[in-house]
Amino acid sequence: MTSFKELEQLAEKILEENGLLDAPVDVYKLADKLSILVTESDPEDENLSGALIRGQSSKVLINSKHPETRRRFTLGHEIGHYLIHPNQANFVDGSQKGQVQVLFRRGGGSSSEMEREANRFAAALLMPPSLLKKEIAKFTDEQDQLLMHLSDIFDVSKEAMGYRLLDLGYTNAG
C-alpha cells in the first residue's frame, strides 16, 4: 500500500523530471514520455473508462465518448497503475468483463486499494499542490467562483477539483 504522501511525492517528481509542471498538466505528453501508447476508442461497454495493457510496449485505452476532463483523469489513473503497480496484471477500469481483471465500476466506486491509489495519483498528477497553491493565491474574484476557475485552469471536472481541494485541506475553497 502506497501512502497519500508517497503518491503526492511521486506525482510531483514525475512532473518535474518530465518538465510538465504547468497547468493544465499535459498528461498525454507524459504518457508519450513514459513510452505508453494512448488510444481512444468507442468500446461496446459505455461504462468502460480505460484500460492499461502491459506488454513489450504498454498501452492505455480510453473511452472516446467520455468528456475530455474524464479522459484526462482516466489517463492519469492508468499512468498511476503503470507506475505504482508495476508487477500487477492488466487493469480495466469500467464494467467490461473479459480476460482482463475488472477493478473499478463507474458509479459504484473503487473496489480495491489499488484503484484508490491510482485515483489519488491521478489527482496529484493533474492537480499538483504547488500549482494549486499558486492559482489559489492569484485568485481575486468571489470565493464561490474558485472551484470553477481552478477546474478550468487544470482541465478537470468540478467534482474532481472539489475532492482534491478537500484532500489538501482547502475546506472552504468553493
Side-chain angles (χ1 to χ4, degrees), residues 49-50 61-62 66 70-79:
S49 298
L61 304 175
I62 297 175
H66 288 178
R70 174 79 180 167
R71 294 192 313 262
R72 286 173 37 77
F73 194 89
T74 297
L75 181 52
H77 175 100
E78 300 303 340
I79 289 172

Side-chain angles (χ1 to χ4, degrees), residues 20-86:
L20 295 171
L21 265 174
D22 292 305
V25 169
D26 190 340
V27 70
Y28 289 90
K29 190 175 202 176
L30 177 60
D32 185 56
K33 287 180 175 259
L34 295 172
S35 299
I36 299 171
L37 176 66
V38 179
T39 304
E40 294 189 6
S41 64
D42 180 6
E44 287 182 30
D45 183 348
E46 65 187 41
N47 291 318
L48 177 70
S49 298
L52 169 64
I53 297 136
R54 296 182 191 272
Q56 282 186 308
S57 61
S58 293
K59 299 173 188 166
V60 169
L61 304 175
I62 297 175
N63 188 332
S64 62
K65 286 192 170 182
H66 288 178
E68 178 64 19
T69 55
R70 174 79 180 167
R71 294 192 313 262
R72 286 173 37 77
F73 194 89
T74 297
L75 181 52
H77 175 100
E78 300 303 340
I79 289 172
H81 282 310
Y82 177 80
L83 293 171
I84 59 181
H85 306 124

Side-chain angles (χ1 to χ4, degrees), residues 130-143:
S130 59
L131 296 181
L132 276 172
K133 188 175 181 177
K134 285 179 192 174
E135 287 301 323
I136 290 170
K138 291 192 303 190
F139 193 73
T140 58
D141 292 344
E142 294 293 320
Q143 186 69 19

